[in-house]
């Protein structure tokens, strides 16, 4: 709960929790460790072509689902605006 209270007290209006955590809370050593883990993971999986194709397909499908979600929210907002008039 301590970190949640600190987040609520020090966050900017545009910050979400992960950006606040990585930018303001975590020290340089942990950031470098996280970067190293991501880099080692990239080197491990970048040479496996089948994995990379499936990974990018998964990311693309997730992006399409997110766009459909935003479209549904937009349609709901427009319908609510029309009903109010």
């Amino acid at each position: 709960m301590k970190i949640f209270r600190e987040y609520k007290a020090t966050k900017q209006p545009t910050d979400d929790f992960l950006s606040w955590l990585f930018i303001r809370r975590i020290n340089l050593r942990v950031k470098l460790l996280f970067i190293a883990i991501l880099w080692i993971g990239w080197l491990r999986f970048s040479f496996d072509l089948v994995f990379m194709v499936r990974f990018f397909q998964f990311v693309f499908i997730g992006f399409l689902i997110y766009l459909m979600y935003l479209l549904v929210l937009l349609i709901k907002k427009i319908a609510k605006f029309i009903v109010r008039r």
Side-chain angles (χ1 to χ4, degrees), residues 18-68:
L18 286 178
S19 66
W20 173 83
L21 185 68
F22 285 130
I23 293 171
R24 292 190 176 84
R25 182 76 169 116
I26 295 179
N27 61 12
L28 180 64
R29 192 173 297 160
V30 176
K31 288 178 188 176
L32 291 175
L33 178 68
F34 183 71
I35 290 169
I37 289 170
L38 288 177
W39 184 60
I40 290 169
W42 172 257
L43 289 178
R44 165 66 178 94
F45 294 114
S46 65
F47 297 110
D48 187 1
L49 185 60
V50 174
F51 175 80
M52 291 306 283
V53 168
R54 288 187 182 148
F55 175 76
F56 286 119
Q57 283 176 345
F58 176 75
V59 169
F60 183 71
I61 290 170
F63 180 68
L64 287 178
I65 291 170
Y66 178 69
L67 285 179
M68 289 189 306

Short mmCIF file of all heavy atoms in Angstrom, two decimals, residues 18-68:
data_model
loop_
_atom_site.label_atom_id
_atom_site.label_comp_id
_atom_site.label_asym_id
_atom_site.label_seq_id
_atom_site.Cartn_x
_atom_site.Cartn_y
_atom_site.Cartn_z
N LEU A 18 2.66 2.26 -14.73
CA LEU A 18 3.93 1.73 -15.23
C LEU A 18 4.89 2.83 -15.64
O LEU A 18 6.09 2.74 -15.37
CB LEU A 18 3.68 0.78 -16.40
CG LEU A 18 3.11 -0.58 -16.02
CD1 LEU A 18 2.86 -1.41 -17.27
CD2 LEU A 18 4.03 -1.31 -15.08
N SER A 19 4.40 3.87 -16.29
CA SER A 19 5.31 4.96 -16.66
C SER A 19 5.85 5.65 -15.41
O SER A 19 7.02 6.01 -15.35
CB SER A 19 4.62 5.95 -17.58
OG SER A 19 3.58 6.61 -16.92
N TRP A 20 5.00 5.85 -14.41
CA TRP A 20 5.46 6.45 -13.16
C TRP A 20 6.50 5.57 -12.50
O TRP A 20 7.53 6.04 -12.02
CB TRP A 20 4.27 6.65 -12.21
CG TRP A 20 4.68 7.10 -10.85
CD1 TRP A 20 4.96 8.37 -10.45
CD2 TRP A 20 4.87 6.28 -9.70
NE1 TRP A 20 5.31 8.39 -9.13
CE2 TRP A 20 5.27 7.12 -8.64
CE3 TRP A 20 4.76 4.91 -9.46
CZ2 TRP A 20 5.54 6.64 -7.37
CZ3 TRP A 20 5.03 4.44 -8.20
CH2 TRP A 20 5.42 5.29 -7.17
N LEU A 21 6.26 4.24 -12.50
CA LEU A 21 7.17 3.31 -11.86
C LEU A 21 8.53 3.31 -12.55
O LEU A 21 9.57 3.41 -11.91
CB LEU A 21 6.58 1.90 -11.87
CG LEU A 21 7.33 0.82 -11.14
CD1 LEU A 21 7.29 1.08 -9.64
CD2 LEU A 21 6.75 -0.54 -11.46
N PHE A 22 8.54 3.24 -13.88
CA PHE A 22 9.81 3.16 -14.61
C PHE A 22 10.54 4.49 -14.66
O PHE A 22 11.77 4.52 -14.67
CB PHE A 22 9.59 2.65 -16.03
CG PHE A 22 9.31 1.18 -16.09
CD1 PHE A 22 8.23 0.70 -16.79
CD2 PHE A 22 10.11 0.27 -15.44
CE1 PHE A 22 7.96 -0.65 -16.84
CE2 PHE A 22 9.85 -1.08 -15.47
CZ PHE A 22 8.77 -1.54 -16.18
N ILE A 23 9.84 5.59 -14.69
CA ILE A 23 10.51 6.89 -14.83
C ILE A 23 10.91 7.46 -13.47
O ILE A 23 12.03 7.94 -13.29
CB ILE A 23 9.61 7.88 -15.59
CG1 ILE A 23 9.46 7.42 -17.03
CG2 ILE A 23 10.19 9.29 -15.54
CD1 ILE A 23 8.44 8.20 -17.81
N ARG A 24 10.02 7.40 -12.50
CA ARG A 24 10.27 8.11 -11.25
C ARG A 24 10.69 7.24 -10.08
O ARG A 24 11.39 7.68 -9.19
CB ARG A 24 9.01 8.88 -10.86
CG ARG A 24 8.72 9.99 -11.81
CD ARG A 24 7.62 10.88 -11.29
NE ARG A 24 7.42 12.01 -12.17
CZ ARG A 24 6.68 11.96 -13.26
NH1 ARG A 24 6.06 10.86 -13.58
NH2 ARG A 24 6.55 13.03 -14.02
N ARG A 25 10.26 6.00 -10.05
CA ARG A 25 10.45 5.20 -8.84
C ARG A 25 11.68 4.29 -8.90
O ARG A 25 12.39 4.16 -7.92
CB ARG A 25 9.18 4.36 -8.60
CG ARG A 25 9.20 3.53 -7.38
CD ARG A 25 8.97 4.36 -6.14
NE ARG A 25 8.73 3.50 -5.02
CZ ARG A 25 9.52 3.43 -3.97
NH1 ARG A 25 10.58 4.19 -3.89
NH2 ARG A 25 9.25 2.62 -2.99
N ILE A 26 11.91 3.66 -10.03
CA ILE A 26 12.98 2.67 -10.12
C ILE A 26 14.32 3.36 -10.36
O ILE A 26 14.42 4.29 -11.16
CB ILE A 26 12.67 1.66 -11.25
CG1 ILE A 26 11.42 0.87 -10.89
CG2 ILE A 26 13.84 0.75 -11.49
CD1 ILE A 26 11.02 -0.13 -11.94
N ASN A 27 15.35 2.87 -9.68
CA ASN A 27 16.66 3.48 -9.84
C ASN A 27 17.34 2.99 -11.12
O ASN A 27 16.86 2.10 -11.81
CB ASN A 27 17.54 3.21 -8.61
CG ASN A 27 17.78 1.74 -8.38
OD1 ASN A 27 17.51 0.92 -9.23
ND2 ASN A 27 18.31 1.42 -7.22
N LEU A 28 18.49 3.57 -11.43
CA LEU A 28 19.18 3.30 -12.68
C LEU A 28 19.61 1.85 -12.80
O LEU A 28 19.53 1.25 -13.88
CB LEU A 28 20.39 4.23 -12.81
CG LEU A 28 21.22 4.06 -14.07
CD1 LEU A 28 20.40 4.43 -15.29
CD2 LEU A 28 22.48 4.89 -13.99
N ARG A 29 20.06 1.24 -11.74
CA ARG A 29 20.54 -0.13 -11.77
C ARG A 29 19.42 -1.10 -12.19
O ARG A 29 19.63 -1.99 -13.02
CB ARG A 29 21.09 -0.53 -10.40
CG ARG A 29 21.86 -1.81 -10.42
CD ARG A 29 22.53 -2.07 -9.10
NE ARG A 29 23.51 -1.02 -8.83
CZ ARG A 29 23.98 -0.74 -7.64
NH1 ARG A 29 23.57 -1.41 -6.59
NH2 ARG A 29 24.89 0.20 -7.47
N VAL A 30 18.23 -0.92 -11.67
CA VAL A 30 17.10 -1.79 -12.02
C VAL A 30 16.67 -1.53 -13.46
O VAL A 30 16.33 -2.46 -14.19
CB VAL A 30 15.93 -1.56 -11.04
CG1 VAL A 30 14.73 -2.37 -11.44
CG2 VAL A 30 16.36 -1.91 -9.63
N LYS A 31 16.71 -0.26 -13.89
CA LYS A 31 16.39 0.05 -15.29
C LYS A 31 17.36 -0.64 -16.24
O LYS A 31 16.95 -1.20 -17.27
CB LYS A 31 16.42 1.56 -15.52
CG LYS A 31 15.28 2.30 -14.90
CD LYS A 31 15.42 3.80 -15.14
CE LYS A 31 14.40 4.56 -14.35
NZ LYS A 31 14.56 6.01 -14.47
N LEU A 32 18.65 -0.59 -15.92
CA LEU A 32 19.65 -1.25 -16.77
C LEU A 32 19.47 -2.77 -16.77
O LEU A 32 19.65 -3.41 -17.81
CB LEU A 32 21.06 -0.87 -16.31
CG LEU A 32 21.45 0.59 -16.56
CD1 LEU A 32 22.81 0.87 -15.96
CD2 LEU A 32 21.44 0.91 -18.04
N LEU A 33 19.10 -3.34 -15.64
CA LEU A 33 18.84 -4.77 -15.56
C LEU A 33 17.64 -5.14 -16.44
O LEU A 33 17.68 -6.12 -17.18
CB LEU A 33 18.59 -5.20 -14.12
CG LEU A 33 18.25 -6.66 -13.90
CD1 LEU A 33 19.46 -7.53 -14.23
CD2 LEU A 33 17.78 -6.89 -12.49
N PHE A 34 16.60 -4.34 -16.39
CA PHE A 34 15.41 -4.57 -17.22
C PHE A 34 15.77 -4.47 -18.70
O PHE A 34 15.34 -5.30 -19.51
CB PHE A 34 14.33 -3.55 -16.84
CG PHE A 34 13.05 -3.74 -17.58
CD1 PHE A 34 12.23 -4.82 -17.30
CD2 PHE A 34 12.66 -2.84 -18.56
CE1 PHE A 34 11.04 -5.00 -17.99
CE2 PHE A 34 11.48 -3.01 -19.24
CZ PHE A 34 10.67 -4.09 -18.96
N ILE A 35 16.56 -3.48 -19.07
CA ILE A 35 17.00 -3.33 -20.47
C ILE A 35 17.82 -4.54 -20.89
O ILE A 35 17.66 -5.06 -22.01
CB ILE A 35 17.79 -2.02 -20.64
CG1 ILE A 35 16.85 -0.83 -20.49
CG2 ILE A 35 18.52 -1.97 -21.96
CD1 ILE A 35 17.56 0.50 -20.38
N ALA A 36 18.72 -5.02 -20.04
CA ALA A 36 19.55 -6.17 -20.36
C ALA A 36 18.70 -7.43 -20.56
O ALA A 36 18.93 -8.21 -21.49
CB ALA A 36 20.59 -6.40 -19.27
N ILE A 37 17.69 -7.62 -19.72
CA ILE A 37 16.81 -8.78 -19.85
C ILE A 37 16.05 -8.72 -21.17
O ILE A 37 15.94 -9.72 -21.88
CB ILE A 37 15.86 -8.87 -18.65
CG1 ILE A 37 16.63 -9.28 -17.40
CG2 ILE A 37 14.73 -9.86 -18.91
CD1 ILE A 37 15.84 -9.18 -16.12
N LEU A 38 15.54 -7.53 -21.51
CA LEU A 38 14.84 -7.39 -22.79
C LEU A 38 15.78 -7.64 -23.97
O LEU A 38 15.40 -8.29 -24.96
CB LEU A 38 14.22 -5.99 -22.91
CG LEU A 38 13.01 -5.71 -22.04
CD1 LEU A 38 12.57 -4.27 -22.22
CD2 LEU A 38 11.87 -6.66 -22.38
N TRP A 39 17.01 -7.16 -23.88
CA TRP A 39 17.97 -7.34 -24.96
C TRP A 39 18.35 -8.82 -25.12
O TRP A 39 18.42 -9.34 -26.23
CB TRP A 39 19.21 -6.48 -24.68
CG TRP A 39 20.21 -6.51 -25.78
CD1 TRP A 39 20.06 -6.14 -27.07
CD2 TRP A 39 21.56 -6.97 -25.67
NE1 TRP A 39 21.21 -6.32 -27.76
CE2 TRP A 39 22.16 -6.82 -26.93
CE3 TRP A 39 22.32 -7.48 -24.62
CZ2 TRP A 39 23.47 -7.18 -27.17
CZ3 TRP A 39 23.63 -7.82 -24.86
CH2 TRP A 39 24.19 -7.67 -26.13
N ILE A 40 18.58 -9.50 -24.01
CA ILE A 40 18.90 -10.93 -24.07
C ILE A 40 17.72 -11.72 -24.62
O ILE A 40 17.89 -12.63 -25.43
CB ILE A 40 19.32 -11.44 -22.67
CG1 ILE A 40 20.69 -10.87 -22.29
CG2 ILE A 40 19.35 -12.96 -22.62
CD1 ILE A 40 21.08 -11.08 -20.86
N GLY A 41 16.51 -11.36 -24.22
CA GLY A 41 15.32 -12.01 -24.78
C GLY A 41 15.20 -11.78 -26.27
O GLY A 41 14.84 -12.68 -27.04
N TRP A 42 15.50 -10.55 -26.72
CA TRP A 42 15.46 -10.26 -28.15
C TRP A 42 16.50 -11.12 -28.89
O TRP A 42 16.20 -11.69 -29.94
CB TRP A 42 15.71 -8.78 -28.40
CG TRP A 42 15.87 -8.46 -29.84
CD1 TRP A 42 17.02 -8.22 -30.51
CD2 TRP A 42 14.82 -8.41 -30.82
NE1 TRP A 42 16.76 -8.00 -31.83
CE2 TRP A 42 15.42 -8.11 -32.06
CE3 TRP A 42 13.45 -8.59 -30.76
CZ2 TRP A 42 14.68 -7.98 -33.22
CZ3 TRP A 42 12.72 -8.44 -31.93
CH2 TRP A 42 13.34 -8.14 -33.14
N LEU A 43 17.70 -11.20 -28.37
CA LEU A 43 18.73 -12.01 -29.03
C LEU A 43 18.36 -13.49 -29.05
O LEU A 43 18.66 -14.20 -30.01
CB LEU A 43 20.08 -11.82 -28.34
CG LEU A 43 20.75 -10.47 -28.55
CD1 LEU A 43 22.04 -10.42 -27.76
CD2 LEU A 43 20.99 -10.20 -30.01
N ARG A 44 17.70 -13.94 -28.01
CA ARG A 44 17.31 -15.35 -27.93
C ARG A 44 16.26 -15.70 -28.97
O ARG A 44 16.33 -16.73 -29.63
CB ARG A 44 16.81 -15.66 -26.52
CG ARG A 44 16.05 -16.94 -26.34
CD ARG A 44 16.93 -18.16 -26.58
NE ARG A 44 16.19 -19.38 -26.35
CZ ARG A 44 15.56 -20.06 -27.31
NH1 ARG A 44 15.57 -19.64 -28.53
NH2 ARG A 44 14.94 -21.17 -27.03
N PHE A 45 15.26 -14.82 -29.15
CA PHE A 45 14.13 -15.16 -30.00
C PHE A 45 14.18 -14.54 -31.38
O PHE A 45 13.39 -14.91 -32.25
CB PHE A 45 12.82 -14.75 -29.32
CG PHE A 45 12.53 -15.54 -28.09
CD1 PHE A 45 12.53 -14.95 -26.84
CD2 PHE A 45 12.27 -16.90 -28.18
CE1 PHE A 45 12.27 -15.68 -25.71
CE2 PHE A 45 12.01 -17.65 -27.04
CZ PHE A 45 12.01 -17.03 -25.80
N SER A 46 15.09 -13.61 -31.63
CA SER A 46 15.09 -12.94 -32.94
C SER A 46 15.55 -13.85 -34.06
O SER A 46 15.20 -13.61 -35.23
CB SER A 46 15.98 -11.70 -32.88
OG SER A 46 17.32 -12.07 -32.67
N PHE A 47 16.29 -14.89 -33.78
CA PHE A 47 16.77 -15.77 -34.82
C PHE A 47 15.79 -16.90 -35.14
O PHE A 47 15.99 -17.64 -36.10
CB PHE A 47 18.14 -16.35 -34.44
CG PHE A 47 19.18 -15.27 -34.30
CD1 PHE A 47 19.69 -14.95 -33.06
CD2 PHE A 47 19.61 -14.57 -35.41
CE1 PHE A 47 20.64 -13.95 -32.93
CE2 PHE A 47 20.57 -13.58 -35.29
CZ PHE A 47 21.08 -13.26 -34.04
N ASP A 48 14.75 -17.04 -34.34
CA ASP A 48 13.73 -18.04 -34.60
C ASP A 48 12.62 -17.39 -35.43
O ASP A 48 11.74 -16.70 -34.91
CB ASP A 48 13.17 -18.57 -33.27
CG ASP A 48 12.23 -19.73 -33.45
OD1 ASP A 48 12.01 -20.15 -34.60
OD2 ASP A 48 11.69 -20.21 -32.43
N LEU A 49 12.66 -17.59 -36.74
CA LEU A 49 11.77 -16.90 -37.65
C LEU A 49 10.31 -17.25 -37.41
O LEU A 49 9.44 -16.38 -37.44
CB LEU A 49 12.16 -17.23 -39.10
CG LEU A 49 11.39 -16.49 -40.18
CD1 LEU A 49 11.59 -15.00 -40.03
CD2 LEU A 49 11.80 -16.97 -41.54
N VAL A 50 10.02 -18.51 -37.13
CA VAL A 50 8.64 -18.92 -36.90
C VAL A 50 8.08 -18.23 -35.65
O VAL A 50 6.95 -17.73 -35.65
CB VAL A 50 8.54 -20.46 -36.76
CG1 VAL A 50 7.15 -20.89 -36.38
CG2 VAL A 50 8.99 -21.12 -38.05
N PHE A 51 8.87 -18.18 -34.60
CA PHE A 51 8.43 -17.50 -33.38
C PHE A 51 8.18 -16.03 -33.64
O PHE A 51 7.17 -15.47 -33.17
CB PHE A 51 9.46 -17.66 -32.26
CG PHE A 51 9.12 -16.89 -31.03
CD1 PHE A 51 8.20 -17.38 -30.13
CD2 PHE A 51 9.70 -15.65 -30.78
CE1 PHE A 51 7.86 -16.67 -28.99
CE2 PHE A 51 9.37 -14.93 -29.65
CZ PHE A 51 8.45 -15.45 -28.76
N MET A 52 9.07 -15.36 -34.38
CA MET A 52 8.91 -13.94 -34.63
C MET A 52 7.66 -13.66 -35.46
O MET A 52 6.93 -12.70 -35.20
CB MET A 52 10.15 -13.37 -35.32
CG MET A 52 11.36 -13.33 -34.41
SD MET A 52 11.08 -12.46 -32.87
CE MET A 52 11.17 -10.79 -33.41
N VAL A 53 7.39 -14.48 -36.45
CA VAL A 53 6.19 -14.29 -37.27
C VAL A 53 4.95 -14.46 -36.40
O VAL A 53 4.02 -13.65 -36.47
CB VAL A 53 6.19 -15.25 -38.47
CG1 VAL A 53 4.83 -15.27 -39.15
CG2 VAL A 53 7.27 -14.86 -39.46
N ARG A 54 4.91 -15.50 -35.59
CA ARG A 54 3.76 -15.72 -34.71
C ARG A 54 3.63 -14.60 -33.68
O ARG A 54 2.52 -14.17 -33.36
CB ARG A 54 3.86 -17.06 -34.01
CG ARG A 54 3.62 -18.20 -34.97
CD ARG A 54 3.57 -19.51 -34.26
NE ARG A 54 3.37 -20.58 -35.23
CZ ARG A 54 3.84 -21.79 -35.11
NH1 ARG A 54 4.53 -22.12 -34.03
NH2 ARG A 54 3.61 -22.69 -36.03
N PHE A 55 4.75 -14.11 -33.17
CA PHE A 55 4.72 -13.01 -32.21
C PHE A 55 4.12 -11.76 -32.84
O PHE A 55 3.25 -11.11 -32.26
CB PHE A 55 6.13 -12.73 -31.69
CG PHE A 55 6.21 -11.53 -30.78
CD1 PHE A 55 5.77 -11.63 -29.48
CD2 PHE A 55 6.72 -10.34 -31.24
CE1 PHE A 55 5.84 -10.53 -28.63
CE2 PHE A 55 6.79 -9.24 -30.40
CZ PHE A 55 6.35 -9.34 -29.10
N PHE A 56 4.57 -11.41 -34.04
CA PHE A 56 4.05 -10.22 -34.68
C PHE A 56 2.59 -10.41 -35.13
O PHE A 56 1.83 -9.45 -35.14
CB PHE A 56 4.94 -9.79 -35.85
CG PHE A 56 6.22 -9.16 -35.39
CD1 PHE A 56 7.44 -9.71 -35.71
CD2 PHE A 56 6.20 -8.02 -34.60
CE1 PHE A 56 8.62 -9.14 -35.29
CE2 PHE A 56 7.37 -7.44 -34.16
CZ PHE A 56 8.58 -8.00 -34.51
N GLN A 57 2.20 -11.62 -35.45
CA GLN A 57 0.80 -11.88 -35.73
C GLN A 57 -0.04 -11.65 -34.47
O GLN A 57 -1.11 -11.05 -34.53
CB GLN A 57 0.59 -13.32 -36.21
CG GLN A 57 1.00 -13.56 -37.63
CD GLN A 57 0.86 -15.03 -38.01
OE1 GLN A 57 0.72 -15.90 -37.15
NE2 GLN A 57 0.91 -15.30 -39.30
N PHE A 58 0.45 -12.13 -33.34
CA PHE A 58 -0.25 -11.94 -32.07
C PHE A 58 -0.37 -10.46 -31.74
O PHE A 58 -1.44 -9.98 -31.33
CB PHE A 58 0.50 -12.68 -30.96
CG PHE A 58 -0.08 -12.48 -29.60
CD1 PHE A 58 -1.25 -13.12 -29.23
CD2 PHE A 58 0.55 -11.66 -28.68
CE1 PHE A 58 -1.80 -12.94 -27.96
CE2 PHE A 58 0.02 -11.47 -27.42
CZ PHE A 58 -1.15 -12.11 -27.07
N VAL A 59 0.71 -9.71 -31.92
CA VAL A 59 0.68 -8.27 -31.65
C VAL A 59 -0.29 -7.58 -32.60
O VAL A 59 -1.08 -6.72 -32.19
CB VAL A 59 2.09 -7.67 -31.77
CG1 VAL A 59 2.05 -6.15 -31.76
CG2 VAL A 59 2.98 -8.18 -30.64
N PHE A 60 -0.29 -7.95 -33.87
CA PHE A 60 -1.19 -7.35 -34.85
C PHE A 60 -2.65 -7.65 -34.52
O PHE A 60 -3.51 -6.76 -34.57
CB PHE A 60 -0.83 -7.84 -36.25
CG PHE A 60 -1.66 -7.22 -37.33
CD1 PHE A 60 -1.49 -5.88 -37.66
CD2 PHE A 60 -2.61 -7.96 -38.00
CE1 PHE A 60 -2.25 -5.31 -38.66
CE2 PHE A 60 -3.38 -7.38 -39.00
CZ PHE A 60 -3.20 -6.05 -39.32
N ILE A 61 -2.94 -8.89 -34.15
CA ILE A 61 -4.32 -9.25 -33.78
C ILE A 61 -4.75 -8.49 -32.53
O ILE A 61 -5.87 -8.00 -32.43
CB ILE A 61 -4.45 -10.77 -33.61
CG1 ILE A 61 -4.33 -11.45 -34.98
CG2 ILE A 61 -5.75 -11.15 -32.92
CD1 ILE A 61 -4.21 -12.96 -34.90
N GLY A 62 -3.85 -8.37 -31.55
CA GLY A 62 -4.16 -7.59 -30.35
C GLY A 62 -4.42 -6.14 -30.68
O GLY A 62 -5.34 -5.52 -30.12
N PHE A 63 -3.65 -5.58 -31.60
CA PHE A 63 -3.86 -4.19 -32.02
C PHE A 63 -5.21 -4.04 -32.71
O PHE A 63 -5.92 -3.06 -32.47
CB PHE A 63 -2.73 -3.77 -32.96
CG PHE A 63 -2.85 -2.37 -33.46
CD1 PHE A 63 -2.71 -1.29 -32.60
CD2 PHE A 63 -3.13 -2.13 -34.79
CE1 PHE A 63 -2.83 0.00 -33.06
CE2 PHE A 63 -3.26 -0.85 -35.26
CZ PHE A 63 -3.11 0.23 -34.40
N LEU A 64 -5.59 -5.01 -33.54
CA LEU A 64 -6.90 -4.95 -34.20
C LEU A 64 -8.04 -5.04 -33.19
O LEU A 64 -9.05 -4.33 -33.30
CB LEU A 64 -7.03 -6.06 -35.23
CG LEU A 64 -6.22 -5.89 -36.51
CD1 LEU A 64 -6.42 -7.09 -37.42
CD2 LEU A 64 -6.59 -4.61 -37.22
N ILE A 65 -7.89 -5.89 -32.18
CA ILE A 65 -8.92 -6.00 -31.14
C ILE A 65 -9.02 -4.68 -30.38
O ILE A 65 -10.13 -4.21 -30.08
CB ILE A 65 -8.61 -7.18 -30.20
CG1 ILE A 65 -8.81 -8.49 -30.94
CG2 ILE A 65 -9.46 -7.13 -28.94
CD1 ILE A 65 -8.32 -9.70 -30.20
N TYR A 66 -7.90 -4.05 -30.10
CA TYR A 66 -7.90 -2.76 -29.41
C TYR A 66 -8.59 -1.70 -30.27
O TYR A 66 -9.37 -0.88 -29.76
CB TYR A 66 -6.47 -2.35 -29.08
CG TYR A 66 -6.36 -1.01 -28.42
CD1 TYR A 66 -6.82 -0.81 -27.13
CD2 TYR A 66 -5.78 0.07 -29.08
CE1 TYR A 66 -6.72 0.42 -26.51
CE2 TYR A 66 -5.68 1.31 -28.48
CZ TYR A 66 -6.15 1.48 -27.20
OH TYR A 66 -6.06 2.70 -26.61
N LEU A 67 -8.32 -1.68 -31.57
CA LEU A 67 -8.98 -0.72 -32.46
C LEU A 67 -10.49 -0.95 -32.51
O LEU A 67 -11.27 0.01 -32.51
CB LEU A 67 -8.40 -0.80 -33.87
CG LEU A 67 -7.03 -0.18 -34.06
CD1 LEU A 67 -6.57 -0.36 -35.51
CD2 LEU A 67 -7.04 1.29 -33.69
N MET A 68 -10.91 -2.22 -32.52
CA MET A 68 -12.36 -2.51 -32.50
C MET A 68 -12.97 -2.03 -31.19
O MET A 68 -14.09 -1.50 -31.18
CB MET A 68 -12.61 -4.00 -32.71
CG MET A 68 -12.33 -4.45 -34.13
SD MET A 68 -12.83 -6.12 -34.54
CE MET A 68 -12.05 -7.09 -33.30
#
